[in-house]
Amino acid sequence: MKRDCLLAVGWLAALSAAAVLAPFLLTNKSGAVDFSHLLEAPSRFHWFGTDALGRDLFARILVATSISLTVAWVAVILSVFLGVVIGAVAGYFGGGWDRSLMAFVNIMLCFPVFFLILSVIAVLGPNIFNVMVIIGATSWMGTARLVRAEVLSLKEREFVLAARALGASHARIIFRHLVPNAMGPVIVNAVLGLAAAVLVESGLSFLGIGVQPPTPSWGNLLSDGKGVLGVAWWLTFFPGVMIFLTILSANTLGEALQSKNDS
Amino acid sequence: MPIYFLKRVLGLIPLFIGITFISFLVIHLAPGSPVDAKGEFNPKMTLQAREKLRELYGLDRPLLEQYGQWTKKIIRFDFGNSFVDGEKVTSKIGKAVPVTLSISVLTLLCVLAAGIGLGVFGAVHEGSRTDRWLTFLALAGFSVPTFWISLLLMNAFGVQLRLLPVSGLYSVNFDDLNAWEKAVDIARHLVLPVAVASITGVAGISRYMRNSLLNELKQDYVRTARAKGLPEKRVLYHHALKNALLPIVTILGLSVPGLLGGSVIFESIFSIPGMGRLFFNSVFARDYPVIMGILVLGAFLTLLGNLLADLTYSVVDPRIRLK
């Protein structure tokens, strides 16, 4: 279990480093179209092979890593923000706030998420910004429920009473005293949410309604490879491995944190 | 029981209003209006024609009135006509539903059989090498993107080995085949899609089943059963497994959104003419009436699934009803 976690953290750290360093590692020529090297299998010169336009897949994947990770992180941060605010307000103020916000949560939970995301994209159009916002805006419900439950029990504690007696405002009580104490399960949810966000983004981009080419993302690289499936296995293999290992790592880490939280 | 049932069903009404309202808002997110979006595809559309469309869809009325009109139609199962070919939305969806439904049922059967089997095996052999491998495989299966697995399997079985067809539901010569050959043909086309659609479910259910059974095996009644000398098989299958299966019942109902959402991806990869592909094509064509129809229907099916899960659970576990 511990070894799995270390591997997971190592993979995510290496990816983040690669994503940040990608602009410095690549020159103008890397990932450029090169008609003398079309669909070449992985070799010493092109570690992951080249695509149908002779572009080096390794360079493309490096850029895609920074794009896909950015999309996933922004989506998760948005989702955590929405979940924390909505859950905390519902739990803290109770009464009508609680009932209406939780009704909203229940309604949102009725939609098959993928259907909702696709509908919004159909209306707003596919681009990287919309994808981030939509994934974030459709995945906060679990966090909201968790935070609400935590806040409901925390707000009865003495330290909240003390803060109130000292004249702290509602906002200060919520964000300085309640939310930090409820962060444990939220972080678990965020890590598992990262896995889900990577999956949804790559799924959308794979279908052609996520990140739009020529901007590479793991999903649209995979969809490029689909056309030459029988000829160039590396074009579907490597982007898929990136997605798979990232989701696997985030899930492993999330579950380890969860069992640590529970015990 | 009837009171519990009534309460649950009445609770659906506000949810249904919420669902339709949010679906309605989604389409009005469009900058400008749906008519402008449709106009993009047809630059020759005149101003008058746009006005006509606007009137046809009631887009010139106040928002709440539009919502009222639209909901009234929806209650009568009238989702309007497709922007693309003018076919009734209900007839379009009606053609696609049986395909997705039969694949979903097949998938669920596979998921239950494999998931429960693997889960029980893991729990009985807790801590063994096989169990550790199964646990890892379940996490991997849960994490693997289905569209990637689809491509790998298509390449392996369809392109390299030429064992299985990779797209559609029928072969080209389907009409010339006799009944038996027809069944075989469809079955061969279904192998890959159903296998792919089952992966996430099998991984999920086997983990759930393993934990649930392990939890039951720790209970006092199991110790009692063992203490009075019952054979281990009887303790396991007669006492513990029965109770461990209870939570699985609810999963059936709760798996509706996952099955529907997943259908978009694997139906477009394998070109299967079901709900998922219809939805996907409509998204590309910005065919709003179809999109809205499927969105509302999907939410409604999810709602029914949840209700069914709750009700079955209250039937198999009477303690629930007391709440």
Side-chain angles (χ1 to χ4, degrees), chain B residues 173-237:
Chain B
N173 59 347
F174 186 72
D175 290 328
D176 306 332
L177 302 172
N178 63 35
W180 168 246
E181 285 168 334
K182 273 183 182 168
V184 172
D185 189 53
I186 293 183
R188 276 164 48 85
H189 279 83
L190 283 177
V191 174
L192 284 181
V194 170
V196 166
S198 306
I199 291 176
T200 321
V202 171
I205 294 268
S206 70
R207 279 155 57 90
Y208 206 83
M209 188 66 224
R210 178 179 175 274
N211 293 341
S212 170
L213 186 56
L214 278 179
N215 195 31
E216 291 301 327
L217 286 174
K218 283 192 204 107
Q219 302 292 320
D220 288 341
Y221 72 86
V222 170
R223 195 183 318 144
T224 311
R226 280 181 182 151
K228 71 179 184 185
L230 286 185
E232 186 61 24
K233 274 221 164 99
R234 192 166 166 83
V235 175
L236 194 65
Y237 295 111

Side-chain angles (χ1 to χ4, degrees), chain A residues 104 107 110-112 114-115 118-119 122-123 202-203 206-207 222 226 230 236-237 240-241 243-244 247-248 251-252 255, chain B residues 15 18-19 23 30 139-140 143-145 147-148 151 207 260-261 264 268-269 279-280 286 288 291 294 299 302-303:
Chain A
F104 183 45
I107 291 165
C110 284
F111 288 100
F114 210 65
F115 277 22
L118 285 177
S119 312
V123 174
S202 52
F206 175 74
L207 290 173
L222 198 54
K226 188 183 158 199
T236 39
F237 181 74
V241 168
I243 302 171
F244 174 47
I247 296 175
L248 185 61
N251 278 339
T252 308
E255 283 188 4
Chain B
L15 283 179
I19 288 169
S23 310
L139 189 64
S143 306
V144 76
F147 42 95
W148 182 51
L151 291 182
R207 279 155 57 90
L260 287 177
V264 175
S268 8
I269 293 179
F279 192 58
F280 175 67
R286 293 195 163 188
Y288 292 130
I291 295 175
I294 299 183
T302 310
L303 206 60

Side-chain angles (χ1 to χ4, degrees), chain A residues 104-144:
Chain A
F104 183 45
V105 167
N106 286 336
I107 291 165
M108 288 294 286
L109 284 173
C110 284
F111 288 100
V113 176
F114 210 65
F115 277 22
L116 194 57
I117 291 175
L118 285 177
S119 312
V120 179
I121 284 183
V123 174
L124 292 183
N127 64 51
I128 189 167
F129 177 77
N130 287 347
V131 169
M132 294 192 283
V133 174
I134 294 164
I135 296 177
T138 48
S139 59
W140 51 270
M141 290 82 78
T143 312

Side-chain angles (χ1 to χ4, degrees), chain B residues 27-78:
Chain B
I27 198 169
H28 285 268
L29 278 174
S33 78
V35 176
D36 294 338
K38 197 190 175 193
E40 274 171 33
F41 292 94
N42 184 3
K44 285 186 201 146
M45 193 155 91
T46 59
L47 214 59
Q48 283 92 335
R50 272 185 208 199
E51 273 318 308
K52 255 187 194 159
L53 262 182
R54 205 174 302 245
E55 252 170 67
L56 184 64
Y57 293 110
L59 294 167
D60 51 347
R61 309 264 166 71
L63 208 62
L64 270 179
E65 194 186 325
Q66 286 183 40
Y67 171 67
Q69 297 284 341
W70 187 66
T71 333
K72 251 192 237 160
K73 281 191 194 160
I74 280 184
I75 291 172
R76 281 182 270 129
F77 276 106
D78 175 11

Side-chain angles (χ1 to χ4, degrees), chain B residues 96-171:
Chain B
V97 165
V99 176
T100 303
L101 200 67
S102 32
I103 293 187
S104 299
V105 170
L106 276 176
T107 306
L108 272 180
L109 290 178
C110 287
V111 165
L112 283 180
I116 292 177
L118 291 174
V120 170
F121 185 89
V124 173
H125 301 269
E126 190 198 1
S128 69
R129 185 179 283 262
T130 330
D131 175 43
R132 286 207 303 274
W133 269 106
L134 283 178
T135 311
F136 173 74
L137 279 181
L139 189 64
F142 202 68
S143 306
V144 76
T146 46
F147 42 95
W148 182 51
I149 284 289
S150 310
L151 291 182
L152 295 183
L153 292 178
M154 271 166 97
N155 189 22
F157 292 100
V159 183
Q160 307 296 343
L161 300 172
R162 300 198 173 279
L163 280 177
L164 292 167
V166 293
S167 97
L169 280 178
Y170 319 104
S171 301

